[in-house]
Amino acid sequence: FAFPMEKTMNPEEIKIEDYDYPLPQERIASHPLAERDHCKLLAADRRGDISDHVFSDLPELLPDGSVMVFNNTRVINARLRFAKTTGAVIEVFCLEPAAPADYAENFARTEECEWTCLVGNLKRWKGGPLTGRLEIDGRETVLTAEDLGAAGNSRRVRFHWTGGHTFASVIAAAGEIPIPPYLNRKNEGSDSTDYQTVYSRIDGSVAAPTAGLHFTSELLGRIDRRGVKRLEVTLHVGAGTFQPVKSETIGDHPMHSEFIAVEREVISALRDAVAGPGRVIAVGTTSVRTLESLYHIGCLISEGKWDGEVPQWYPYSAGHPGLTPAEVLDRLLKYLDETGLDTLIAATRIIIAPGYVYRLVGGMVTNFHQPRSTLLLLVSAFLGEERWRPVYDHALNGGYRFLSYGDACLFL
């Protein structure tokens, strides 16, 4: 796990057009399979070997001594619709909590809170707060939304409600699951279940960590019996996960900030894992980003530069300390001891692209990603600059289903 900090290129100069491929709409899965773990699974490695499987084969494909890391975030009903007396419908899409900024505190509020939101049909939002009526526990609740003004490219919105319910209860009753726009369909009742992993438990995401959608309770049990240790981290997925790279080079693409939380016992287990013969396998790109951010948080702490967020280009910076994973994890444990914290809470803007050196992640389970996306760059950085294309060609020619509700990959 100790690699030199070498760069094969300046990642800021990467042209996004080199990470394009034709993806017909009919290859984008609009619904999941009836049996989650019956989807196809493509296995590939850096040597270029590719093989076809079913996702339920996964336990047998995992290397001995593997440690799997899952993102336990839960998708919230982030899309709220308010109908005005004029007939106009205003859509308020909750992105992240603003006051209080802590997710748990915000969801626990019982009268009001503020969020950073995207607002659809904003020009029609005139004449004061929006009002909606809903029923919670058999009682009518009145929910109002007040526009507090611009917050970057978004809006800051204050919510008020009656009945003494928590905001978690209000948004669960008033909103709907925000399925990805590329599905090109309206939300359906089944999405409330289909678009959640079976191990989701921490409210906060506006998009699912979709590689986890293939797991069932039975499959997780088989992974346990295989002797594979399972760990959980939290990364709340933001709407920026759908943001395409619009600039010619990725150096001009701003990464969105995402909330991460990792408990001390998980960091300790990772420290044991990097000392052993196995490898750390991340389930989904969100777990990848969390784990690799952990490494750079430890490096920032060691340099006395930690301010709560991993900058986008820090991994490629000149003078990066390039500590070993073991050194970093030891430093993180010491930091938690010094601060008296049980959980490391942070934000990350990390971008993983060709030229990046993976430090903690030795394998990943992931889906097939959109053309010209930062997630495709992340995969390319893992497999090798040109090895992603044969994998995707194989999948396109082999009838694989793409994106959130599609088939899966195992990269080692």
Side-chain angles (χ1 to χ4, degrees):
F1 285 90
F3 301 111
M5 287 298 293
E6 296 178 353
K7 295 184 288 186
T8 59
M9 64 172 70
N10 179 0
E12 296 186 49
E13 298 176 358
I14 292 174
K15 294 183 177 181
I16 196 60
E17 66 182 9
D18 294 336
Y19 294 84
D20 199 1
Y21 70 93
L23 179 58
Q25 183 65 35
E26 61 267 21
R27 300 305 296 276
I28 300 175
S30 59
H31 296 85
L33 298 181
E35 300 291 337
R36 290 181 180 233
D37 60 356
H38 283 31
C39 69
K40 292 184 177 183
L41 174 66
L42 183 153
D45 59 31
R46 289 179 60 88
R47 296 190 300 270
D49 294 334
I50 300 174
S51 56
D52 300 303
H53 308 269
V54 177
F55 197 81
S56 57
D57 297 336
L58 180 64
E60 289 69 47
L61 298 173
L62 298 173
D64 290 341
S66 294
V67 173
M68 298 190 78
V69 180
F70 296 78
N71 182 7
N72 60 18
T73 189
R74 185 168 181 82
V75 184
I76 61 173
N77 288 6
R79 182 175 283 119
L80 303 168
R81 301 181 196 273
F82 293 86
K84 298 192 67 176
T85 55
T86 60
V89 176
I90 313 299
E91 180 180 295
V92 180
F93 191 114
C94 296
L95 296 178
E96 61 183 13
D102 179 82
Y103 279 86
E105 288 183 27
N106 196 294
F107 285 125
R109 282 296 176 96
T110 56
E111 292 183 357
E112 69 172 38
C113 62
E114 296 175 15
W115 279 67
T116 302
C117 302
L118 295 176
V119 178
N121 211 8
L122 177 62
K123 292 181 179 179
R124 305 294 295 275
W125 188 346
K126 300 175 182 178
L130 303 172
T131 302
R133 297 180 182 276
L134 58 145
E135 186 176 291
I136 302 176
D137 298 333
R139 291 181 295 161
E140 182 181 75
T141 297
V142 179
L143 172 65
T144 62
E146 178 185 356
D147 182 15
L148 300 182
N153 295 324
S154 309
R155 309 293 293 182
R156 184 156 175 154
V157 176
R158 177 182 294 138
F159 295 103
H160 303 262
W161 60 95
T162 61
H165 306 288
T166 64
F167 186 63
S169 299
V170 170
I171 199 171
E176 62 183 51
I177 287 283
I179 60 173
Y182 48 66
L183 295 186
N184 282 332
R185 66 170 174 80
K186 294 182 178 180
N187 183 283
E188 299 173 6
S190 59
D191 291 314
S192 296
T193 301
D194 291 342
Y195 203 55
Q196 300 282 13
T197 64
V198 296
Y199 48 81
S200 65
R201 60 186 181 87
I202 308 296
D203 285 342
S205 280
V206 301
T210 54
L213 297 180
H214 308 293
F215 289 86
T216 65
S217 297
E218 189 277 333
L219 183 61
L220 292 173
R222 287 177 51 212
I223 289 171
D224 293 341
R225 292 191 291 276
R226 172 77 170 75
V228 172
K229 187 177 182 64
R230 288 192 285 126
L231 304 176
E232 291 185 1
V233 296
T234 303
L235 181 146
H236 290 323
V237 189
T241 192
F242 300 128
Q243 181 180 346
V245 179
K246 297 179 180 179
S247 56
E248 182 178 344
T249 61
I250 66 168
D252 294 323
H253 177 74
M255 291 293 288
H256 55 288
S257 179
E258 291 178 308
F259 168 96
I260 61 176
V262 185
E263 295 178 355
R264 189 190 197 284
E265 62 185 34
V266 172
I267 297 174
S268 180
L270 289 170
R271 176 63 179 88
D272 293 339
V274 300
R279 72 183 78 190
V280 176
I281 298 178
V283 176
T285 57
T286 60
S287 295
V288 171
R289 284 168 54 78
T290 303
L291 289 169
E292 292 300 310
S293 294
L294 267 187
Y295 172 81
H296 295 290
I297 290 170
C299 289
L300 285 163
I301 290 173
S302 74
E303 293 186 287
K305 298 179 180 179
W306 176 237
D307 64 0
E309 182 174 85
V310 181
Q312 178 168 336
W313 297 106
Y314 174 72
Y316 314 91
S317 59
H320 190 290
L323 305 176
T324 68
E327 290 172 331
V328 160
L329 294 168
D330 283 339
R331 187 64 190 88
L332 289 173
L333 292 171
K334 182 180 179 182
Y335 173 78
L336 292 178
D337 289 340
E338 292 171 344
T339 56
L341 299 173
D342 293 324
T343 302
L344 178 65
I345 295 176
T348 183
R349 293 183 186 270
I350 190 173
I351 186 168
I352 298 177
Y356 181 86
V357 178
Y358 277 87
R359 293 298 182 144
L360 290 180
V361 175
M364 70 177 76
V365 177
T366 188
N367 285 8
F368 294 96
H369 303 293
Q370 289 180 288
R372 305 171 73 95
S373 66
T374 58
L375 300 183
L376 189 54
L377 293 171
L378 179 152
V379 166
S380 178
F382 187 84
L383 289 175
E385 293 167 28
E386 296 300 323
R387 292 192 178 100
W388 73 269
R389 197 173 291 277
V391 167
Y392 274 59
D393 286 344
H394 181 95
L396 286 165
N397 294 330
Y400 280 75
R401 302 159 70 244
F402 279 60
L403 307 188
S404 295
Y405 280 147
D407 296 315
C409 307
L410 171 64
F411 296 142
L412 298 172

